[in-house]
Amino acid sequence: MSQHDPTAEALSGSIGELTEMTVEDVASQGYLEVADAIEQTSHLPISPIPGPIPAPIMRPVSGRYRGTLAGLQLELRVDVDRVRPLTKVSGDLFSVSGGTVTYFGSFIVHAPVITSTATQVVCKGTGQFTFAAGAPVLQVTIQRRTIFQPQAPALAQFFTTGGLPAALYSCAFESAKFRTVRLETDRVSDVATPVFDTYNTGTLPSGGPARNLTVMSAFGEAGIEMIPTAGSNTINIAAAGGGATWSNAEMHASMQTHFSLFQNTPQWNFWLLVAQKHDFGAGLLGIMFDQLGPQRQGCAVFHQGLGGTTPQALRLQLQTYVHELGHSFNLLHSWQKSLATPPGVNRPNSLSWMNYPWGYPLGGEPAFWASFPFQFDDGELIHLRHAYRNNIITGASPFAIGSGMERPELMNDPIANNTGLRLDISTANTNFALGEPVVLTLKLQATDQCGKQVHPYLHPNTSLVTIAIAKPDGKIVAYEPPIEHLVGPADQTIKLGESIEA
C-alpha cells in the first residue's frame, strides 16, 4: 500500500464511526459503500470490528433541577434512580422580584407513575402542597442522555385535576444531590484528640459494603451535598467559663461569636463544635443544643467520651458526628418518630445513624454494630431529600419533639413489679402557682438483695426516663425534653439500700 492511500484513510474513518453503531444502523444510514470498501480491500492489514458493540451508558436522571417562570422559581427534586431511589418527586417554589428571592411553598409527589423508555423518563402524580394548589398534578419529563452528553433539562408541567394544563417549567440540571448545605466545624482548644476525619467501615464487623466514610461522604450517600467551609477555627476554652465545661447557653453564645455563617434567618448552614466536656459529664457524647432564636443551627460533640484513635473510637465518632447533624436536619431518634408533627412510626429496630447502638433491642450494642450499614433508614431518607423546606432547613421549624404528647398508657398501674427496683418522684413543694416551674427529684433504689445493674441517667433530657403528667381535666401527657442529650453506655450496679438521684 502506498504511503498516501485515500481509500484506506476513508475506510479507517468509516470504521471508527461503525464502532459506535449497530448493523441495523449501518444498513439504514447508507453505509453500504463502507461494506463494499471492506470487501475490496480485505487483503489489507485491518483489525476486524469487535462485536457485539455495547449499548452506550445512559446518565441517571435523579437530582436537583431549577427553572423560573413568570416570577416563580421552581427547585425540583427527582428521585427515581441513582443510589437508593425512593420513587418520589418534590420541590420548593420561590417568588422572585428583582434580586429578591422569597420562599413561597413546597410540595411532594409521594407515588408518581414512572414511565421509562430508551429515550426519556416521565414521572406523573398528584402532589401534596403546603398551599392551596389549583393544579396539583405534576408531570416531569426528562430526555435520556449518554454519559458523554450534558444532562438534559426537566420539563415540569402542572395540570388541574380535570387534566387542564397549567404552568410549564423548563428546569436546568443543577446537581446529582437533592440538597446542598455548608458545615463549619470549630474546635475547642482543650480537645487533645484529633477531630474526626475518616473511618473504614470494614475495619470492624459491620453490615453493608466496606468503604472509607467521612461526615461529608456519609451525608453524600444520603443524597445531601455537605460542603466544609473555610471559616473553621479554634475556640479558646476560656469561653466555657472557669469550670472548663460547656453549658448549652455557653455553646450558643460561642456559636454567635465564632460561627462565621450565623444568621437569624432560615439557611442551609450548620455549625458543629468539637469540645471536650459538657456540664452533664463524661456520659454526654453529643447534643443538638440550638434552641434559642434560629432553630437547629448548632450541635456539639464531646471527646471526653468520644476521644481516641482506635477503630472503636473512630467508629463511635463517625456515628455521633452524623447523629447530631441529623438532629440539625430535624431528624428524631429512631424510637421517637411518633413525637414528630405529624407523628411518624417508631422504629426502635432501625439500623440507622439516628439509633443508639447500646439501646438496640435486638441484641444491644454488639448486634447493632455487627449489622449497621452506616446509613439512614428509608423514612429518614424521605425527610432528608423531600421534606417541606421549612421542616428541614435550619432557622425555620423548631425541633419536632412536643413538650406534651398524649400517651395515656404511661399512667396505667403495673400489675406486678418484679424488677427489683423502685423509682420515687418527689417535689419540694406540694402547691404551685399557675406558671410556676415544677422541679422534680427522681430517686432509683434497689429492692433486691443481689442488687441491680442500671443506667445512671434519670434526667428526662436523656430520653431514657419519661415523665407522665396527669392534667386537671384528666388528660395524660408525656413530657419530652426540647433538647436531648446523647449519652453513652455507663451501666452501674446499685446494691440493696443504695440509690441514684437526679
Side-chain angles (χ1 to χ4, degrees), residues 89-416:
V89 177
S90 64
D92 302 316
L93 286 162
F94 303 85
S95 175
V96 181
S97 177
T100 302
V101 179
T102 306
Y103 171 64
F104 181 82
S106 300
F107 66 87
I108 178 172
V109 182
H110 281 287
V113 176
I114 310 297
T115 305
S116 181
T117 69
T119 58
Q120 66 180 15
V121 175
V122 180
C123 314
K124 187 172 184 178
T126 301
Q128 295 180 354
F129 291 73
T130 61
F131 56 92
V137 180
L138 173 64
Q139 177 175 298
V140 177
T141 304
I142 306 172
Q143 299 299 316
R144 288 192 174 277
R145 294 288 185 266
T146 71
I147 58 173
F148 302 107
Q149 298 173 301
Q151 195 89 32
L155 298 180
Q157 174 80 70
F158 290 89
F159 295 87
T160 66
T161 54
L164 296 177
L168 172 62
Y169 290 82
S170 178
C171 301
F173 180 77
E174 192 169 82
S175 173
K177 304 301 184 185
F178 300 98
R179 305 188 196 269
T180 298
V181 302
R182 290 182 292 179
L183 173 65
E184 181 173 321
T185 303
D186 286 352
R187 172 181 180 157
V188 183
S189 59
D190 68 332
V191 177
T193 56
V195 174
F196 172 78
D197 181 32
T198 185
Y199 172 69
N200 186 317
T201 64
T203 305
L204 298 169
S206 66
R211 70 269 194 207
N212 287 311
L213 275 185
T214 65
V215 173
M216 311 300 169
S217 62
F219 279 97
E221 290 186 354
I224 304 299
E225 181 184 26
M226 186 170 281
I227 302 173
T229 73
S232 301
N233 52 42
T234 299
I235 298 173
N236 195 304
I237 184 57
T245 64
W246 291 91
S247 67
N248 295 336
E250 289 166 343
M251 288 187 292
H252 193 276
S254 189
M255 178 178 66
Q256 291 179 299
T257 301
H258 297 282
F259 184 21
S260 62
L261 302 175
F262 181 82
Q263 294 184 49
N264 289 311
T265 185
Q267 58 172 350
W268 293 109
N269 299 321
F270 295 166
W271 189 63
L272 175 63
L273 178 67
V274 180
Q276 185 67 14
K277 301 177 183 179
H278 188 274
D279 289 351
F280 185 83
L284 185 62
L285 304 181
I287 186 172
M288 191 277 292
F289 64 84
D290 185 13
Q291 292 291 310
L292 300 174
Q295 302 285 324
R296 300 179 282 103
Q297 284 190 90
C299 61
V301 294
F302 301 98
H303 274 228
Q304 183 181 21
L306 286 176
T309 57
T310 65
Q312 290 83 358
L314 294 177
R315 180 180 65 182
L316 184 57
Q317 287 169 28
L318 172 62
Q319 196 266 343
T320 304
Y321 280 48
V322 175
H323 179 106
E324 295 308 329
L325 287 166
H327 284 320
S328 290
F329 279 105
N330 217 1
L331 286 174
L332 281 73
H333 289 136
S334 299
W335 67 93
Q336 292 180 315
K337 304 301 186 182
S338 63
L339 302 180
T341 304
V345 177
N346 291 330
R347 302 187 290 275
N349 299 341
S350 178
L351 293 166
S352 162
W353 294 111
M354 302 311 298
N355 213 344
Y356 277 7
W358 38 92
Y360 186 57
L362 302 180
E365 188 171 3
F368 178 88
W369 288 124
S371 302
F372 181 41
F374 295 89
Q375 64 184 29
F376 294 98
D377 67 26
D378 286 348
E380 292 157 353
L381 278 189
I382 293 173
H383 177 86
L384 289 169
R385 297 177 182 181
H386 302 291
Y388 298 148
R389 178 179 179 271
N390 279 356
N391 288 345
I392 184 172
I393 193 171
T394 62
S397 298
F399 192 48
I401 294 181
S403 60
M405 297 293 291
E406 294 197 23
R407 292 168 59 185
E409 74 279 3
L410 293 176
M411 292 298 288
N412 292 338
D413 292 330
I415 296 174

